[in-house]
Amino acid sequence: MNLQNIGVIGAGTMGNGIAQVCALAGLHVTLIDISESALQKAIATVDKNLDRQVAKNTLTHEQKLAALDKIRTSTDYNSLQNVQMVIEAATENLDLKLRVLQQIAAQVSAECVIASNTSSLSITQLAASVSQPERFIGLHFFNPVPVMGLIEVIRGLQTSDATHAMALDMATILGKTAITAGNRPGFVVNRILVPMINEAILVFQEGLASAEDIDAGMRLGCNQPIGPLALADLIGLDTVLAILEAFYDGFNDSKYRPAPLLKEMVAAGYLGRKTGRGFHAYA
Protein backbone atom coordinates (compact mmCIF):
# COMPACT_ATOMS: atom_id res chain seq x y z
CA MET A 1 0.00 0.00 0.00
CA ASN A 2 1.29 3.46 -0.92
CA LEU A 3 0.78 5.16 2.43
CA GLN A 4 -0.24 8.80 2.05
CA ASN A 5 -3.15 9.61 4.38
CA ILE A 6 -3.04 9.10 8.15
CA GLY A 7 -5.61 9.73 10.85
CA VAL A 8 -4.51 10.52 14.42
CA ILE A 9 -7.06 10.45 17.25
CA GLY A 10 -6.21 12.58 20.25
CA ALA A 11 -4.48 15.96 20.10
CA GLY A 12 -2.59 15.71 23.38
CA THR A 13 1.15 15.33 23.83
CA MET A 14 1.41 12.00 22.03
CA GLY A 15 -1.17 12.76 19.34
CA ASN A 16 0.28 16.09 18.27
CA GLY A 17 3.78 14.60 18.31
CA ILE A 18 2.67 11.75 16.04
CA ALA A 19 0.92 14.21 13.74
CA GLN A 20 4.08 16.32 13.57
CA VAL A 21 6.43 13.48 12.58
CA CYS A 22 3.93 12.14 10.03
CA ALA A 23 3.54 15.57 8.41
CA LEU A 24 7.30 16.09 8.31
CA ALA A 25 7.59 12.73 6.55
CA GLY A 26 5.26 13.99 3.83
CA LEU A 27 2.07 12.24 4.96
CA HIS A 28 -1.30 13.98 4.98
CA VAL A 29 -2.65 13.95 8.54
CA THR A 30 -6.18 14.29 9.85
CA LEU A 31 -5.94 15.11 13.56
CA ILE A 32 -9.14 14.55 15.53
CA ASP A 33 -10.11 15.53 19.05
CA ILE A 34 -13.39 16.22 20.84
CA SER A 35 -12.83 19.99 21.14
CA GLU A 36 -11.65 22.77 18.86
CA SER A 37 -9.63 24.28 21.71
CA ALA A 38 -7.60 21.06 22.09
CA LEU A 39 -6.95 21.02 18.35
CA GLN A 40 -5.87 24.67 18.30
CA LYS A 41 -3.53 24.02 21.22
CA ALA A 42 -2.08 21.01 19.37
CA ILE A 43 -1.36 23.01 16.21
CA ALA A 44 0.24 25.76 18.31
CA THR A 45 2.45 23.14 19.95
CA VAL A 46 3.49 21.68 16.58
CA ASP A 47 4.19 25.19 15.27
CA LYS A 48 6.39 25.94 18.29
CA ASN A 49 8.25 22.62 17.95
CA LEU A 50 8.92 23.23 14.27
CA ASP A 51 10.13 26.75 15.05
CA ARG A 52 12.76 25.21 17.35
CA GLN A 53 13.96 23.02 14.50
CA VAL A 54 14.15 26.02 12.19
CA ALA A 55 16.17 27.91 14.82
CA LYS A 56 18.58 24.95 15.04
CA ASN A 57 18.88 24.84 11.22
CA THR A 58 17.60 21.26 11.11
CA LEU A 59 14.55 22.44 9.16
CA THR A 60 13.92 25.26 6.71
CA HIS A 61 11.05 27.72 7.09
CA GLU A 62 9.58 26.36 3.86
CA GLN A 63 9.69 22.79 5.21
CA LYS A 64 7.95 23.97 8.37
CA LEU A 65 5.14 25.58 6.40
CA ALA A 66 4.81 22.50 4.17
CA ALA A 67 4.48 20.25 7.25
CA LEU A 68 1.85 22.47 8.87
CA ASP A 69 -0.06 22.53 5.59
CA LYS A 70 -0.31 18.72 5.69
CA ILE A 71 -2.16 18.69 9.02
CA ARG A 72 -5.90 19.31 9.03
CA THR A 73 -7.99 19.16 12.18
CA SER A 74 -11.52 18.01 12.86
CA THR A 75 -13.90 17.03 15.64
CA ASP A 76 -15.79 14.74 13.24
CA TYR A 77 -14.79 11.09 12.81
CA ASN A 78 -16.42 11.22 9.38
CA SER A 79 -13.23 13.00 8.26
CA LEU A 80 -11.43 9.63 8.42
CA GLN A 81 -13.18 8.06 5.45
CA ASN A 82 -10.22 8.35 3.05
CA VAL A 83 -7.33 7.54 5.39
CA GLN A 84 -5.26 4.38 5.00
CA MET A 85 -4.17 4.11 8.63
CA VAL A 86 -5.54 5.52 11.87
CA ILE A 87 -3.43 5.81 15.00
CA GLU A 88 -5.45 6.08 18.20
CA ALA A 89 -3.60 8.14 20.82
CA ALA A 90 -6.30 8.64 23.46
CA THR A 91 -5.67 8.57 27.21
CA GLU A 92 -4.49 5.21 28.58
CA ASN A 93 -7.94 4.05 29.66
CA LEU A 94 -9.42 0.80 28.35
CA ASP A 95 -13.08 1.88 28.23
CA LEU A 96 -12.19 5.16 26.51
CA LYS A 97 -9.99 3.46 23.94
CA LEU A 98 -12.67 0.88 23.15
CA ARG A 99 -15.21 3.65 22.53
CA VAL A 100 -12.77 5.54 20.31
CA LEU A 101 -11.86 2.43 18.32
CA GLN A 102 -15.49 1.63 17.66
CA GLN A 103 -16.02 5.17 16.37
CA ILE A 104 -13.01 4.78 14.09
CA ALA A 105 -14.14 1.41 12.74
CA ALA A 106 -17.57 2.83 11.93
CA GLN A 107 -16.05 5.41 9.56
CA VAL A 108 -12.96 3.95 7.89
CA SER A 109 -12.81 1.46 5.03
CA ALA A 110 -12.44 -2.27 5.69
CA GLU A 111 -8.86 -2.07 4.37
CA CYS A 112 -7.77 0.75 6.69
CA VAL A 113 -5.19 -0.32 9.27
CA ILE A 114 -6.14 0.65 12.82
CA ALA A 115 -3.37 1.10 15.36
CA SER A 116 -3.28 1.97 19.04
CA ASN A 117 -0.54 3.93 20.75
CA THR A 118 -1.24 2.11 24.01
CA SER A 119 1.71 1.60 26.33
CA SER A 120 0.24 -1.26 28.34
CA LEU A 121 -3.20 -2.47 27.19
CA SER A 122 -3.80 -5.74 25.36
CA ILE A 123 -3.64 -5.39 21.59
CA THR A 124 -5.59 -8.64 21.25
CA GLN A 125 -8.39 -7.27 23.45
CA LEU A 126 -8.47 -3.94 21.63
CA ALA A 127 -8.48 -5.68 18.24
CA ALA A 128 -11.52 -7.73 19.21
CA SER A 129 -13.54 -4.51 19.46
CA VAL A 130 -13.29 -3.72 15.73
CA SER A 131 -14.37 -5.46 12.55
CA GLN A 132 -11.57 -7.21 10.62
CA PRO A 133 -9.34 -7.46 13.72
CA GLU A 134 -6.52 -8.77 11.53
CA ARG A 135 -5.91 -5.14 10.47
CA PHE A 136 -5.29 -4.03 14.07
CA ILE A 137 -1.83 -3.49 15.57
CA GLY A 138 -0.05 -1.64 18.35
CA LEU A 139 2.24 1.27 17.48
CA HIS A 140 3.80 2.46 20.71
CA PHE A 141 5.55 5.80 20.19
CA PHE A 142 7.70 7.30 22.93
CA ASN A 143 7.55 10.78 24.45
CA PRO A 144 8.63 13.22 23.08
CA VAL A 145 7.67 11.68 19.74
CA PRO A 146 9.69 14.06 17.50
CA VAL A 147 12.87 13.26 19.46
CA MET A 148 12.62 9.59 20.41
CA GLY A 149 13.77 7.22 17.69
CA LEU A 150 11.86 4.07 18.68
CA ILE A 151 8.47 2.61 17.83
CA GLU A 152 7.36 -0.65 19.44
CA VAL A 153 5.24 -2.63 17.00
CA ILE A 154 2.96 -5.01 18.88
CA ARG A 155 1.14 -7.87 17.22
CA GLY A 156 -2.12 -9.12 18.66
CA LEU A 157 -3.23 -12.69 18.24
CA GLN A 158 -5.30 -11.65 15.22
CA THR A 159 -2.79 -9.29 13.52
CA SER A 160 -2.01 -10.31 9.93
CA ASP A 161 1.45 -10.41 8.38
CA ALA A 162 0.36 -7.72 5.92
CA THR A 163 -0.65 -5.38 8.75
CA HIS A 164 2.63 -6.02 10.54
CA ALA A 165 4.58 -5.30 7.36
CA MET A 166 2.71 -2.04 6.83
CA ALA A 167 3.48 -0.97 10.41
CA LEU A 168 7.19 -1.61 9.84
CA ASP A 169 7.01 0.39 6.59
CA MET A 170 5.33 3.21 8.50
CA ALA A 171 8.21 3.32 10.99
CA THR A 172 10.71 3.51 8.13
CA ILE A 173 8.80 6.36 6.48
CA LEU A 174 8.95 8.29 9.75
CA GLY A 175 12.69 7.67 10.13
CA LYS A 176 12.16 5.63 13.30
CA THR A 177 13.58 2.27 14.37
CA ALA A 178 10.96 -0.41 14.99
CA ILE A 179 11.17 -3.37 17.33
CA THR A 180 8.47 -6.04 17.28
CA ALA A 181 6.98 -7.28 20.55
CA GLY A 182 4.42 -9.86 21.52
CA ASN A 183 1.18 -9.01 23.26
CA ARG A 184 2.03 -9.04 26.97
CA PRO A 185 1.43 -6.22 29.46
CA GLY A 186 4.03 -3.50 28.96
CA PHE A 187 5.44 -5.18 25.85
CA VAL A 188 9.27 -4.76 25.99
CA VAL A 189 10.34 -1.27 27.05
CA ASN A 190 7.73 -0.53 29.72
CA ARG A 191 7.94 -4.09 31.04
CA ILE A 192 11.54 -3.29 31.98
CA LEU A 193 11.30 0.46 32.62
CA VAL A 194 8.17 0.96 34.72
CA PRO A 195 9.03 -1.57 37.48
CA MET A 196 12.39 0.25 37.77
CA ILE A 197 10.53 3.55 38.22
CA ASN A 198 8.27 1.92 40.81
CA GLU A 199 11.32 0.67 42.71
CA ALA A 200 12.78 4.18 42.67
CA ILE A 201 9.51 5.48 44.15
CA LEU A 202 9.68 2.84 46.88
CA VAL A 203 13.26 3.90 47.68
CA PHE A 204 12.11 7.52 47.94
CA GLN A 205 9.04 6.50 49.97
CA GLU A 206 11.29 4.73 52.49
CA GLY A 207 13.37 7.88 52.95
CA LEU A 208 16.52 6.12 51.76
CA ALA A 209 17.52 9.08 49.59
CA SER A 210 16.12 12.33 48.21
CA ALA A 211 14.52 12.53 44.79
CA GLU A 212 17.50 14.54 43.56
CA ASP A 213 20.00 11.96 44.83
CA ILE A 214 18.05 9.01 43.43
CA ASP A 215 17.98 10.63 40.01
CA ALA A 216 21.64 11.67 40.21
CA GLY A 217 22.59 8.15 41.23
CA MET A 218 20.93 6.58 38.20
CA ARG A 219 22.17 9.28 35.80
CA LEU A 220 25.78 9.20 36.93
CA GLY A 221 26.00 5.62 38.14
CA CYS A 222 24.04 3.91 35.36
CA ASN A 223 24.54 6.43 32.53
CA GLN A 224 20.82 7.11 32.18
CA PRO A 225 20.04 10.42 30.46
CA ILE A 226 17.30 11.23 32.98
CA GLY A 227 16.69 9.88 36.46
CA PRO A 228 13.72 7.54 37.10
CA LEU A 229 11.74 10.01 39.23
CA ALA A 230 12.24 12.85 36.76
CA LEU A 231 11.21 10.43 34.01
CA ALA A 232 8.08 9.50 35.96
CA ASP A 233 7.25 13.21 36.16
CA LEU A 234 7.77 13.53 32.40
CA ILE A 235 5.60 10.50 31.59
CA GLY A 236 2.91 11.57 34.06
CA LEU A 237 2.40 9.83 37.39
CA ASP A 238 -1.16 8.93 36.44
CA THR A 239 0.14 7.13 33.35
CA VAL A 240 2.83 5.33 35.36
CA LEU A 241 0.16 4.20 37.83
CA ALA A 242 -2.15 3.01 35.04
CA ILE A 243 0.66 0.95 33.51
CA LEU A 244 1.57 -0.64 36.85
CA GLU A 245 -2.06 -1.48 37.55
CA ALA A 246 -2.31 -3.11 34.12
CA PHE A 247 0.80 -5.17 34.96
CA TYR A 248 -0.57 -6.13 38.37
CA ASP A 249 -3.88 -7.26 36.86
CA GLY A 250 -2.36 -8.86 33.77
CA PHE A 251 0.36 -10.91 35.47
CA ASN A 252 -1.36 -11.42 38.85
CA ASP A 253 2.06 -10.94 40.40
CA SER A 254 2.71 -8.85 43.53
CA LYS A 255 6.07 -7.63 42.23
CA TYR A 256 4.14 -5.19 40.02
CA ARG A 257 2.14 -3.70 42.92
CA PRO A 258 2.23 0.13 42.64
CA ALA A 259 4.05 1.99 45.40
CA PRO A 260 1.52 3.44 47.87
CA LEU A 261 3.14 6.87 47.54
CA LEU A 262 2.55 6.83 43.78
CA LYS A 263 -1.16 6.16 44.33
CA GLU A 264 -1.36 8.91 46.94
CA MET A 265 0.36 11.46 44.71
CA VAL A 266 -2.00 10.69 41.83
CA ALA A 267 -4.97 11.06 44.18
CA ALA A 268 -3.61 14.47 45.23
CA GLY A 269 -3.27 15.58 41.61
CA TYR A 270 0.54 15.71 41.74
CA LEU A 271 1.04 14.22 38.29
CA GLY A 272 4.45 15.59 37.32
CA ARG A 273 5.39 18.15 34.70
CA LYS A 274 1.86 18.59 33.36
CA THR A 275 0.59 19.81 36.74
CA GLY A 276 3.80 21.55 37.84
CA ARG A 277 4.44 19.17 40.73
CA GLY A 278 5.52 15.58 41.05
CA PHE A 279 8.69 14.21 42.60
CA HIS A 280 10.22 17.51 41.49
CA ALA A 281 8.69 21.01 41.20
CA TYR A 282 8.23 22.69 37.82
CA ALA A 283 7.64 26.38 37.15
Side-chain angles (χ1 to χ4, degrees):
M1 182 182 291
N2 183 19
L3 192 59
Q4 294 182 336
N5 299 300
I6 299 289
V8 178
I9 311 300
T13 300
M14 297 305 294
N16 69 56
I18 294 168
Q20 177 180 323
V21 297
C22 288
L24 278 174
L27 300 173
H28 295 277
V29 181
T30 300
L31 179 62
I32 291 181
D33 204 290
I34 59 173
S35 74
E36 286 291 348
S37 61
L39 292 167
Q40 291 170 11
K41 182 179 178 181
I43 295 300
T45 298
V46 173
D47 185 82
K48 184 177 179 181
N49 289 342
L50 295 177
D51 275 341
R52 286 200 198 98
Q53 291 185 252
V54 172
K56 294 177 181 177
N57 293 317
T58 59
L59 196 71
T60 67
H61 183 68
E62 291 72 22
Q63 288 171 320
K64 171 201 163 179
L65 294 179
L68 286 172
D69 190 53
K70 290 187 180 297
I71 304 174
R72 68 166 182 153
T73 61
S74 178
T75 57
D76 187 356
Y77 280 74
N78 189 54
S79 303
L80 297 172
Q81 289 190 356
N82 295 319
V83 302
Q84 298 156 292
M85 175 185 283
V86 179
I87 303 170
E88 168 272 311
T91 302
E92 193 75 351
N93 175 282
L94 178 60
D95 291 338
L96 173 62
K97 285 186 181 289
L98 291 175
R99 290 197 301 272
V100 168
L101 291 172
Q102 287 164 7
Q103 288 178 276
I104 293 169
Q107 297 296 335
V108 299
S109 70
E111 294 76 32
C112 177
V113 169
I114 303 176
S116 176
N117 183 54
T118 180
S119 56
S120 62
L121 299 174
S122 169
I123 298 301
T124 296
Q125 183 178 9
L126 294 174
S129 70
V130 305
S131 57
Q132 293 88 38
E134 65 275 5
R135 57 167 167 171
F136 194 91
I137 198 160
L139 286 179
H140 180 207
F141 291 78
F142 290 80
N143 185 30
V145 177
V147 175
M148 302 299 283
L150 181 69
I151 300 177
E152 275 185 310
V153 178
I154 306 101
R155 298 187 66 153
L157 192 63
Q158 313 95 318
T159 306
S160 70
D161 289 342
T163 299
H164 180 236
M166 186 176 178
L168 296 179
D169 287 345
M170 167 78 165
T172 300
I173 290 169
L174 300 184
K176 306 288 190 185
T177 297
I179 61 171
T180 299
N183 183 55
R184 296 293 183 274
F187 318 127
V188 173
V189 175
N190 279 342
R191 172 79 175 274
I192 299 167
L193 175 66
V194 175
M196 183 197 72
I197 291 174
N198 195 49
E199 193 64 30
I201 297 170
L202 288 168
V203 168
F204 177 67
Q205 176 182 295
E206 292 169 11
L208 189 60
S210 68
E212 291 76 15
D213 283 352
I214 290 167
D215 282 346
M218 295 305 289
R219 282 189 291 105
L220 302 176
C222 298
N223 204 29
Q224 294 184 357
I226 184 172
L229 299 180
L231 181 56
D233 284 348
L234 177 62
I235 294 169
L237 301 193
D238 51 342
T239 300
V240 173
L241 177 59
I243 294 170
L244 281 166
E245 288 175 335
F247 287 4
Y248 190 50
D249 292 341
F251 290 113
N252 194 27
D253 190 330
S254 62
K255 75 177 181 179
Y256 298 111
R257 184 175 60 237
L261 178 60
L262 173 62
K263 297 170 77 171
E264 188 173 13
M265 290 178 71
V266 171
Y270 301 159
L271 306 182
R273 285 182 178 269
K274 60 188 172 184
T275 60
R277 180 172 178 179
F279 292 101
H280 301 279
Y282 303 90

